[in-house]
Amino acid sequence: MDVITTDHAVPHVSQLPVNKGETINLFVRERDGTKNPAERTAVLILHGRSIPVLPGADFGTGKYNWMMFLADAGYDVFAMDLQGHGRSYRPPVMDDPRNANPKQQGIVHDGHPLPGPGPDPVQDPRQLGDTRSDVSEVHTVVEFIKKRHNLKKVALLGWSAAAQAFGPYAIQYPENVTSLFLLAPVFPPDGPAALSGTNWDPPLGLPRTTPVETWGFPMNLLSRKGFADAWAKELGCPGQRDDGIEDKVWAAIMESDTLGRTWGPTVSGAPQGVLRYRNPFWWGWNKTGAKLHGVLGDKVPVLIAYGERDKTVNSPPGTVPFLSVTELYKTIPGARKLMFKVACAGHQIPWERVSKHVHHLSREWLKHTAIDGHTQGSFLMDKDGNITSAP
């Protein structure tokens, strides 16, 4: 059967402080490869902190396309952008570069340099993303998927900061989740706590930009060069990525932002584009929150995979913020948990050559919630996809 592709605009009542109560649309792409509708398995993929979902999950037409790989394997695969990302609704404050750090405003806007750090004030000091909002948006899309195909549960696959939404969501709504696959997950063991240790209420007094030290600027801007420099820091393995893929990835990112692609320095007569992404305030996803109610690793089995060269989500102790994939694995309270350290890979693993092994890992996980018969343990995966137990 051919894979059927449908783009959806899913209505959602916003929980963001900047537009609370307004109905906005969330972008959701569906690639339905289900062969027998009576045995449908739905999968929802979520992006990280900065990259929209399509460049990471639905990239190109070949070996790097995670959505198509799983759809070809017989799954009904959905991918969503949170509000403020990709093709979902973006609050208008994201159209004003004054809502970004003045140091980032030096990136070019509309072909002309903005003044460097200067007197222009932030136009709206409220955060453009937070834990409560992200979880509510995931819930809206999960309920949409369930209703669309009369399903009881959905499998979740998330890259990077998707863990900040999918982790809390799985704990709060385990009845909706079959399993959780986290690729290079962001986990701050000592991150901001919820108001209470038994729920996900926000801390008293959500931070605002004034003074900026309390939280940061509402929006971030990343240039083509900044993207390249970040990726380069985690390269080092021969053949880690294909030649020329960096340009293709950047072009795919720009396809998801009609305004951002008109910003940035002009090269060969056209702007390079700027990646706009929100600066969210997350709470509760820490060494206390991840243990709540004993859900993870029990009612919701968890698989974690990350690159051995990934410095983005693994920082030295004492770093602020301290991030650690292995600490997440240790924190998950249940026994149904697996962790794979993938050789020859960094944080940008969806576009590196070992991504094919991650795809195969996710396919087996979705089918069995186990890998080679294992339902728990820590493992190493070499660049050829071979798996051995970690020391």
Side-chain angles (χ1 to χ4, degrees):
M1 291 179 60
D2 292 334
V3 172
I4 300 172
T5 302
T6 309
D7 286 348
H8 305 280
V10 179
H12 171 76
V13 179
S14 178
Q15 298 298 306
L16 281 179
V18 73
N19 58 354
K20 187 175 177 63
E22 294 181 16
T23 298
I24 55 92
N25 286 329
L26 299 172
F27 171 80
V28 177
R29 172 164 292 176
E30 178 182 8
R31 289 196 180 272
D32 186 355
T34 298
K35 296 175 176 60
N36 181 357
E39 299 178 356
R40 183 183 301 275
T41 298
V43 182
L44 175 61
I45 302 179
L46 181 63
H47 57 81
R49 183 168 183 252
S50 59
I51 308 297
V53 74
L54 294 187
D58 200 26
F59 177 65
T61 58
K63 60 185 178 180
Y64 294 107
N65 195 306
W66 200 358
M67 288 190 77
M68 283 302 300
F69 176 85
L70 292 177
D72 286 339
Y75 295 99
D76 191 1
V77 190
F78 295 80
M80 69 172 289
D81 278 319
L82 293 168
Q83 183 179 180
H85 285 274
R87 304 186 185 196
S88 285
Y89 175 82
R90 292 178 186 254
V93 296
M94 296 188 72
D95 297 346
D96 189 335
R98 288 175 295 179
N99 289 308
N101 189 320
K103 295 179 180 178
Q104 297 175 355
Q105 294 174 18
I107 300 171
V108 184
H109 173 54
D110 284 342
H112 301 285
L114 285 168
D120 285 342
V122 169
Q123 300 301 291
D124 195 312
R126 295 171 290 187
Q127 68 270 17
L128 300 177
D130 59 38
T131 297
R132 177 171 49 193
S133 175
D134 289 359
V135 168
S136 72
E137 291 174 24
V138 169
H139 186 58
T140 290
V141 173
V142 168
E143 290 297 312
F144 165 79
I145 295 170
K146 287 170 54 184
K147 183 177 181 180
R148 176 169 171 78
H149 293 303
N150 192 28
L151 298 171
K152 293 183 178 179
K153 294 188 176 185
V154 174
L156 304 180
L157 276 68
W159 175 31
S160 189
Q164 293 275 11
F166 273 179
Y169 181 80
I171 293 170
Q172 293 177 66
Y173 298 95
E175 68 278 6
N176 286 347
V177 182
T178 57
S179 63
L180 181 59
F181 185 110
L182 297 176
L183 179 61
V186 170
F187 181 70
D190 304 312
L195 180 61
S196 166
T198 59
N199 59 41
W200 294 91
D201 290 339
L204 292 174
L206 288 177
R208 294 167 71 89
T209 298
T210 306
V212 70
E213 290 79 11
T214 64
W215 170 60
F217 293 86
M219 179 175 64
N220 290 297
L221 303 176
L222 182 67
S223 67
R224 168 71 176 81
K225 182 179 183 302
F227 173 75
D229 290 346
W231 195 347
K233 291 177 182 178
E234 297 182 355
L235 297 175
C237 176
Q240 187 169 332
R241 65 179 184 180
D242 291 342
D243 293 340
I245 194 169
E246 186 183 289
D247 289 332
K248 295 177 182 178
V249 171
W250 184 255
I253 293 170
M254 291 299 98
E255 286 179 9
S256 287
D257 188 354
T258 55
L259 177 61
R261 64 182 179 231
T262 68
W263 295 6
T266 299
V267 177
S268 300
Q272 277 194 321
V274 170
L275 174 57
R276 299 180 297 157
Y277 62 100
R278 50 186 200 144
N279 183 21
F281 177 70
W282 292 309
W283 61 82
W285 181 238
N286 53 31
K287 60 189 176 185
T288 298
K291 295 178 181 178
L292 276 180
H293 314 306
V295 169
L296 297 185
D298 183 21
K299 293 179 181 178
V300 178
V302 181
L303 185 148
I304 298 168
Y306 71 101
E308 67 172 349
R309 305 187 64 82
D310 192 335
K311 301 175 184 177
T312 303
V313 293
N314 291 295
S315 53
T319 305
V320 180
F322 170 53
L323 303 176
S324 173
V325 175
T326 56
E327 286 300 314
L328 172 58
Y329 178 76
K330 294 175 184 177
T331 299
I332 293 172
R336 300 170 67 194
K337 59 180 181 178
L338 291 163
M339 183 170 67
F340 293 85
K341 185 177 182 179
V342 183
C344 204
H347 193 65
Q348 313 299 354
I349 195 169
W351 310 305
E352 296 179 345
R353 286 180 174 170
V354 296
S355 62
K356 61 184 178 182
H357 304 315
V358 174
H359 295 173
H360 286 278
L361 200 66
S362 67
R363 182 180 63 186
E364 185 174 352
W365 173 252
L366 290 171
K367 186 174 182 179
H368 303 292
T369 56
I371 303 296
D372 292 345
H374 298 286
T375 58
Q376 61 179 301
S378 179
F379 298 85
L380 303 176
M381 175 184 284
D382 68 21
K383 64 180 182 179
D384 296 317
N386 301 308
I387 295 171
T388 56
S389 294

